[in-house]
Amino acid sequence: MNSTDSTNPVDSTTEALVEVVLPGKVEPEGLEVRHGSVPVAGPGQVLVRMEATGVSFAEQQMRRGKYYDQPPFPFVPGYDLVGTVQSTGAGVEPGLAGTRVAALVKVGGWASHVLVDAADVVPVPEGIGAAEAETVVVNGITAWQMLHRKARVRAGQTILVHGANGGVGTVLVQLAHAAGVHVIGTASPRHPRGAPRAGRRAHRLPHPGPRGPRPRALPARCGRRLRPRRRPQRRPLLASPRPRRHARLLRQRLHP
């Protein structure tokens, strides 16, 4: 096929679209599988054949109908994905076809094929598998924003990371270490496997558990006192109407 042709470089006519649908507030067993036709990339879009997607806190909250600004039921969840560009629409570089990319889509990732704006996809470096790259899309962007945009921690300071063996916590510890920040991490005994991995770059403390002592204030070396929030943050860090910014952050994580 001519490389200047922006139509499907891969024949998808024999493939079928498979989606996992969230019909309402249901237990995981209530998720539904839906079949359909593979969509066609429109102007400025790419069709991504999904290779890896995540099941995170966001999807769990959506299943309960408690996530910020989630669409009405029914819908296809899936906050992020990694896959290969199968076709490109008008106005998109045809050479992007066949490239493994990562994208933050907020919903729609639990599908075999997903339409994504070409400006929102980030090429995955060679040598990194789809599952490996997927773990740093939402987790990596969340951790980076917490460390550099919200807390604005500087080299030489010390931070306390709760859940340092979790998805966001593990990435946060590594980003902090790379920035010259000292890390103290807590980890629940229910999830011991991630503790050694995070512990290589953090001082580990046992998690007190749900009934353990909870200090009212923790001194920080930056001269401020960290106090518990009286009200939970209603707007998630990733709930932003600016997906292009998230694409830029993802490029920084995958292409340092």
Side-chain angles (χ1 to χ4, degrees), residues 198-223:
R200 294 192 185 102
R201 294 184 171 91
H203 301 287
R204 286 180 288 171
L205 294 176
H207 196 282
R211 298 183 180 180
R214 304 185 70 85
R216 294 184 178 180
L218 295 173
R221 293 186 181 180
C222 58

Side-chain angles (χ1 to χ4, degrees), residues 21-24 32 34 71-77:
V21 181
L22 188 55
E32 300 176 354
R34 183 171 63 192
F73 298 113
F75 66 92
V76 177

Side-chain angles (χ1 to χ4, degrees), residues 7 15-16 36 39 42-43 50 61 65 69 90 93 114 116 119 122 125 130 139-140 148 180 192 210 219-220 227 244:
T7 59
E15 295 186 285
M50 188 270 292
Q61 290 298 91
D69 199 28
E93 174 57 44
V114 183
V116 185
V122 179
N139 290 338
H148 296 294
R227 300 182 181 277
R244 302 295 188 277

Side-chain angles (χ1 to χ4, degrees), residues 110-201:
W110 290 5
S112 60
H113 302 76
V114 183
L115 290 176
V116 185
D117 287 344
D120 294 339
V121 300
V122 179
V124 175
E126 294 185 6
I128 299 180
E132 293 177 302
E134 200 283 330
T135 61
V136 297
V137 181
V138 169
N139 290 338
I141 293 175
T142 303
W144 192 92
Q145 291 196 110
M146 292 173 65
L147 185 68
H148 296 294
R149 180 170 297 168
K150 296 297 181 180
R152 297 183 180 180
V153 182
R154 299 183 299 275
Q157 294 183 329
T158 300
I159 63 173
L160 173 64
V161 179
H162 288 295
N165 58 339
V168 175
T170 301
V171 179
L172 181 56
V173 169
Q174 297 178 67
L175 290 177
H177 176 77
V181 177
H182 303 289
V183 180
I184 299 174
T186 67
S188 170
R190 295 178 300 168
H191 308 287
R193 292 185 179 181
R197 178 174 53 186
R200 294 192 185 102
R201 294 184 171 91

Side-chain angles (χ1 to χ4, degrees), residues 20-27 30-32 34 58-78 107 110:
V20 177
V21 181
L22 188 55
K25 297 179 183 180
V26 297
E27 294 299 317
L31 294 170
E32 300 176 354
R34 183 171 63 192
E59 287 87 11
Q60 296 292 355
Q61 290 298 91
M62 289 181 186
R63 183 173 57 80
R64 300 179 176 94
K66 297 181 178 180
Y67 197 76
Y68 173 84
D69 199 28
Q70 70 179 69
F73 298 113
F75 66 92
V76 177
V107 293
W110 290 5

